[in-house]
């Protein structure tokens, strides 16, 4: 890792400390600060795992504040939660040997010129041992991953997965990115003159940028940053390599020096999570870093996790037809007064009539009985001859959908899920979490060599 000299302090360096974020009402640190999460509460299991007498109070929080301010200097993030997530993801790359899962950072946008490449520029200069690739082969990438993994940065992912034909051609790359999300998922290749099978590690954190969504299996393992074009009123600094790179390296090196002393603590940390299952696996390293840093970061990390995960739940229905069809069928039953039975022709008529749904685009006749049956087959839901008031016809029973609805698209409610680690700490964090109030991204103080904000 290329290093630059600089004082190891939470407020030194060209960028200075970012200071408190006005988007969050209270950022005090210490044993009674309101930013403490369940893992930090007195008497909880996280008590002995966060904080250290060997470090100045607030040092880690201040370093994360600096990194957040540095990211916001060059990139207009889509939300305050997104810039918090990017900050924590970068920090987590410096502790990869501590994690069980290596979260992907999916940087996607609807069109070009939305800041994806600029964000990759920032990641390149702040992440641990970056390995950037545009068109490398999967074999070249997994041969570059060692037991001390680099941070993969994959640009122009739409040239890899942008169409069904491209995705099929690059299935090996998708498999590599999926396998590398979890430890102990090596890929085996026959190598050498003796043609011996050799296992290559795949575990490494990765940021993947492209136009349009990535394959579902990658998005499901990712913290998703949906970039967008910036307005004329949104300003960033010019990214000039002569000045920006030394500035970012200074922030990176002081943060990395602090994080490396917390490696063992990070490996033993089990943070309380506001989400469950794969989302918890993906976000756990980011939340763990926040708990190590303290201050307002434990609260901000969990807010970002909860808000961004909930935001993506709506997008999942649009990405996956097999999940979308369940939700739309539930709406169709509701539109007919929630009958116990619904005839196939009436169900298809309702589904195809929705102008915002994709079903009428399935062909000249829209969604057909055969296509509907294929979409529902994996859920073991099948049509049958049913007895209706006006005769016997093919149809579906509402009771057959109940289990699938509860598992794959539960109805939203106003109660917060306590998450998989609800037994840790006093309960959900949602009551103490502030609602976002704009970006609230503090500008770093001017320093020599930075370009004008434009």
């Amino acid at each position: 890792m290329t290093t630059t000299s600089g004082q190891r302090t939470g407020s030194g360096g060209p960028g200075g400390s970012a200071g408190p974020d006005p988007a969050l009402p209270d950022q005090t640190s210490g044993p009674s600060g309101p930013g403490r999460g369940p893992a930090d509460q007195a008497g909880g299991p996280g008590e002995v795992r966060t904080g250290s007498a060997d470090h100045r109070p607030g040092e880690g929080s201040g370093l994360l504040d600096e990194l957040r301010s540095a990211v916001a200097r060059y990139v207009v993030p889509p939300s305050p939660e997104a810039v918090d997530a990017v900050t924590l993801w970068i920090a987590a790359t410096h502790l990869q040997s501590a994690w069980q899962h290596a979260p992907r950072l999916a940087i996607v946008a609807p069109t070009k010129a939305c800041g994806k490449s600029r964000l990759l520029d920032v990641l390149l200069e702040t992440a641990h041992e970056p390995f950037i690739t545009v068109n490398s082969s999967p074999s070249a990438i997994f041969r570059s991953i060692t037991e001390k993994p680099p941070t993969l940065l994959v640009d122009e992912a739409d040239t890899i997965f942008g169409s069904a034909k491209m995705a099929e051609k690059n299935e090996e790359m998708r498999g590599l990115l999926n396998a590398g999300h979890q430890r102990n998922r090596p890929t085996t290749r026959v190598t050498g003159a003796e043609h011996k099978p050799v296992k290559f590690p795949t575990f490494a954190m990765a940021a993947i940028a492209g136009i349009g969504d990535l394959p579902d299996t990658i998005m499901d393992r990712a913290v998703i940053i949906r970039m967008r074009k910036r307005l004329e009123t949104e300003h960033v600094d010019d990214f000039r390599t002569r000045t920006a790179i030394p500035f970012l390296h200074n922030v990176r090196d002081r943060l990395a020096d602090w994080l490396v002393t917390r490696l063992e603590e990070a490996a033993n940390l089990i943070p309380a999570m506001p989400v469950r299952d794969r989302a918890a696996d993906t976000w756990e390293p980011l939340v763990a870093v926040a708990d190590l840093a303290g201050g307002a970061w434990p609260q901000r990390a969990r807010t970002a996790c909860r808000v961004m995960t909930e935001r993506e739940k709506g997008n999942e229905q649009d990405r996956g037809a097999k999940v979308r069809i369940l939700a739309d069928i539930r709406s169709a039953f509701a539109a007919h007064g929630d009958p116990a039975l619904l005839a196939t022709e009436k169900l298809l008529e309702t589904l195809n009539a929705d102008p915002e749904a994709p079903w009428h685009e399935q062909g000249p006749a829209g969604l057909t009985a055969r296509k509907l049956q294929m979409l529902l087959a994996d859920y073991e839901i099948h049509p049958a001859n049913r007895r209706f008031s006006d005769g016997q016809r093919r149809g579906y029973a509402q009771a057959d959908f109940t289990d699938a609805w509860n598992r794959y698209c539960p109805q939203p409610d106003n109660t917060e899920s306590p998450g998989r680690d609800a037994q840790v700490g006093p309960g959900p964090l949602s009551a103490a979490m502030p609602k976002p109030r704009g970006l609230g991204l503090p500008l770093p103080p001017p320093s020599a060599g930075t370009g004008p904000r434009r």
Side-chain angles (χ1 to χ4, degrees), residues 9-10 58-68 251 254-255 258:
T9 171
E59 181 182 9
S61 178
L63 289 169
L64 286 183
D65 287 343
E66 278 194 71
L67 178 58
R68 183 183 192 271
V251 176
R254 286 183 291 112
L255 177 62
W258 178 80

Side-chain angles (χ1 to χ4, degrees), residues 1-6 246 249-250 252-254 256-257:
M1 178 174 69
T2 304
T3 60
T4 57
S5 60
H249 282 189
N250 182 279
R252 175 200 66 189
D253 293 342
R254 286 183 291 112
D257 288 345

Side-chain angles (χ1 to χ4, degrees), residues 38-332:
D40 299 311
Q41 298 290 344
E47 181 67 14
V48 298
R49 294 175 175 170
T50 57
S52 172
D54 298 332
H55 301 277
R56 293 188 298 275
E59 181 182 9
S61 178
L63 289 169
L64 286 183
D65 287 343
E66 278 194 71
L67 178 58
R68 183 183 192 271
S69 182
V71 173
R73 172 179 287 204
Y74 300 108
V75 177
V76 176
S79 68
E81 295 84 15
V83 74
D84 285 345
V86 170
T87 301
L88 293 167
W89 188 90
I90 293 170
T93 66
H94 295 277
L95 292 174
Q96 291 193 58
S97 58
W99 313 132
Q100 177 64 28
H101 293 87
R104 279 69 188 100
L105 191 71
I107 307 168
V108 297
T111 65
K112 62 181 181 180
C114 289
K116 302 183 305 300
S117 296
R118 179 62 71 238
L119 180 52
L120 278 183
D121 288 337
V122 174
L123 297 180
L124 180 64
E125 308 306 335
T126 54
H128 167 74
E129 295 293 343
F131 177 87
I132 191 164
T133 174
V134 174
N135 225 357
S136 299
S137 67
S139 60
I141 293 176
F142 67 68
R143 281 176 169 81
S144 301
I145 299 174
T146 65
E147 294 300 331
K148 295 182 179 180
T151 303
L152 302 180
L153 305 178
V154 182
D155 199 3
E156 299 185 14
D158 47 292
T159 65
I160 303 174
F161 306 114
S163 67
K165 187 175 181 179
M166 290 178 183
E168 184 178 356
K169 180 181 178 182
N170 293 288
E171 183 66 21
E172 189 176 5
M173 175 67 81
R174 185 178 71 88
L176 172 63
L177 292 172
N178 288 344
H181 179 258
Q182 186 171 343
R183 285 196 179 277
N184 303 321
R185 298 293 187 271
T187 183
T188 304
R189 292 291 184 274
V190 175
T191 61
E194 298 180 359
H195 301 287
K196 290 185 176 180
V198 177
K199 291 184 177 180
F200 294 89
T202 62
F203 182 84
M205 290 179 65
I208 308 127
I211 296 174
D213 280 4
L214 304 172
D216 288 351
T217 53
I218 295 177
M219 298 287 273
D220 191 41
R221 293 166 169 81
V223 174
I224 301 172
I225 309 297
R226 294 189 176 277
M227 301 297 290
R228 56 191 182 185
K229 281 183 177 288
R230 62 186 176 92
L231 302 173
E232 292 294 328
T233 54
E234 295 174 323
H235 302 290
V236 293
D237 273 10
D238 289 319
F239 191 93
R240 302 186 185 279
T241 56
R242 186 177 63 84
T243 54
I245 290 178
F247 163 60
L248 292 173
H249 282 189
N250 182 279
V251 176
R252 175 200 66 189
D253 293 342
R254 286 183 291 112
L255 177 62
D257 288 345
W258 178 80
L259 285 168
V260 74
T261 64
R262 315 301 292 268
L263 179 61
E264 184 176 353
E265 187 177 359
N268 293 325
L269 184 62
I270 305 176
M273 299 296 296
V275 294
R276 300 188 302 173
D277 303 325
R278 181 162 283 163
D281 293 338
T282 296
W283 279 87
E284 185 175 280
L286 282 67
V287 175
V289 166
D291 282 354
L292 291 174
W297 281 98
Q299 177 182 345
R300 289 164 71 163
R302 290 172 172 86
T303 300
C305 174
R306 179 176 53 83
V307 170
M308 294 177 69
T309 302
E310 285 295 324
R311 191 175 293 152
E312 286 305 315
K313 283 183 179 179
N315 294 322
E316 285 176 5
Q317 291 186 5
D318 292 330
R319 289 201 303 267
K322 289 188 177 181
V323 176
R324 172 72 186 258
I325 193 66
L326 288 175
D328 284 5
I329 288 175
R330 180 170 56 198
S331 298

Side-chain angles (χ1 to χ4, degrees), residues 353-396:
D354 185 352
E356 296 184 359
W359 313 120
H360 62 281
E361 302 171 356
Q362 293 286 316
L367 187 65
T368 64
R370 175 60 179 162
K371 291 178 181 177
L372 177 60
Q373 188 174 351
M374 292 172 64
L375 286 172
L376 296 175
D378 287 345
Y379 304 115
E380 298 185 357
I381 300 173
H382 308 284
N385 290 324
R386 312 283 184 178
R387 188 175 298 279
F388 294 87
S389 58
D390 57 349
Q392 191 169 350
R393 299 194 302 279
R394 298 282 288 180
Y396 291 86

Side-chain angles (χ1 to χ4, degrees), residues 395-414:
Y396 291 86
Q398 182 174 166
D400 292 344
F401 290 91
T402 303
D403 183 70
W405 286 338
N406 290 335
R407 291 180 184 276
Y408 299 100
C409 53
Q411 286 278 24
D413 55 41
N414 295 325

